[in-house]
Amino acid sequence: MAEALKLAWQVKGTTFPNPAVGAIVVAGREIVGRGATSPYGGPHAEKIALAQAGERAKMAALYVTLEPCCHFGRTPPCTDAIISSGIKSVYISTMDPNPLVHGGGLHQLRKNGITVHSGLLSEEAKSINEDFFWSITRKRPWITLKLAMTLDGRIADEAGHSQWITSVGSRTFVHELRRRHAAIIVGAATLRKDDPKLTVRFGKRANPARIVFSSSPRLPATSYFIKNAHKTRSIVVIADGKEGLKKKNSKGLEIWYIGKSTEEKGLESFLQTAYSEGLTSLLVEGGSAIASLFMKHHRVNRVYLFYGNKLVGKGLDGFSFTKGLPLSQAIELQDRTVRLFSDDVLISGIPVWKNTEEQ
């Protein structure tokens, strides 16, 4: 199962809106088939592993990191392929929360005489697809927020310089975060100031979609974002026009309008549009305005806060809410982890807002 989990991690970020799954077929003491989820519309992990195993799948064991699907989607059910292969036992890490599957896959396998075990390395399996589990049950995207700050909470110095607050090790890990998400979000101010590429630059990986929140579709024509809109899906989100309206220009740039309503309603409109477009996992990279927008409206599922070993005394704050929170209502992080990258400290966790049910 550990080997199957490795396979799932390897394809994380390439399978949206499907989960990343790994599968291993074992005959006797030998691994005879390996598989991981293909990009959307392609075969699932189980089918790839079974095809590789061929006749050796008969009376063998299948290890899979997520309950096999039992419904028709872009591809036929994996349970049918498992049953017809002659597999005698199936080991599953965790159940699929998708209402179309949940428990049904296990039931169908058992009904056809296959021994099924579940729960093996389940916590590891859940961590791989925490975004999928959230999205499929809540019908909205999972939101990760990442900021790189000085020890005194600044994302840029007084002159507006932000390169580089953190080390190469931290920045390399950010590219790992990027590859795990369906899209990356920044504000127009960040685009104009830093001209970020918003790509995955370590390893051969398809780039996630790029999203810029802006007051206008008019962005610098010389920016990497505009010049390369035809290479990677590129979207401008504008708080104006008719809510839900989507356009596409000759350069391939998509423009989404979220209406002129309140900030919170506009954000919700964006999230619903993103979900309907298959962008089920979003990485918010800043700057301060966009990070604060998502955080103050309780639309962040997990944060990654990188602190470079620097103090600047004055500069651009990482967070700046319209109204500050009293200590009694401060946002706290649960399930915290702390990690070191050279001189940097990474604190990650799940935000908890007090006196609210929304998390």
Side-chain angles (χ1 to χ4, degrees), residues 277-299:
E277 290 285 325
L279 301 179
T280 56
S281 179
L282 310 176
L283 175 62
V284 178
E285 286 207 19
S288 178
I290 199 73
S292 300
L293 171 70
F294 276 84
M295 186 65 86
K296 72 181 180 182
H297 290 301
H298 307 175
R299 292 296 183 264

Side-chain angles (χ1 to χ4, degrees), residues 226-276:
I226 296 296
K227 290 170 65 177
N228 291 274
H230 62 289
K231 294 182 180 179
T232 299
R233 189 175 187 185
S234 301
I235 301 160
V236 179
V237 177
I238 301 173
D240 198 354
K242 182 180 179 182
E243 181 180 334
L245 177 64
K246 292 179 286 187
K247 296 181 179 180
K248 193 170 186 177
N249 67 18
S250 59
K251 295 182 178 180
L253 186 69
E254 297 178 44
I255 302 173
W256 294 359
Y257 294 90
I258 56 176
K260 300 178 181 179
S261 56
T262 65
E263 200 176 68
E264 186 171 10
K265 288 182 179 179
L267 184 57
E268 187 60 27
S269 171
F270 160 71
L271 293 175
Q272 292 303 318
T273 301
Y275 181 82
S276 70

Side-chain angles (χ1 to χ4, degrees), residues 61-75:
L62 172 67
Y63 293 78
V64 60
T65 59
L66 186 67
E67 178 184 6
C69 65
C70 55
H71 69 288
F72 280 87
R74 285 289 187 97
T75 61

Side-chain angles (χ1 to χ4, degrees), residues 176-196:
E176 171 66 15
L177 288 178
R178 286 181 176 180
R179 82 162 181 91
R180 298 179 190 175
H181 290 78
I184 305 170
I185 301 174
V186 297
T190 297
L191 181 79
R192 291 188 174 94
K193 180 169 66 71
D194 297 337
D195 191 19

Side-chain angles (χ1 to χ4, degrees), residues 22 31 100 106 121 128 134 156 198 205 274 304 319:
I31 293 178
L100 296 174
L106 273 65
L121 299 181
I128 294 174
W134 164 272
L198 306 179
R205 291 283 178 181
Y304 288 87
F319 293 103

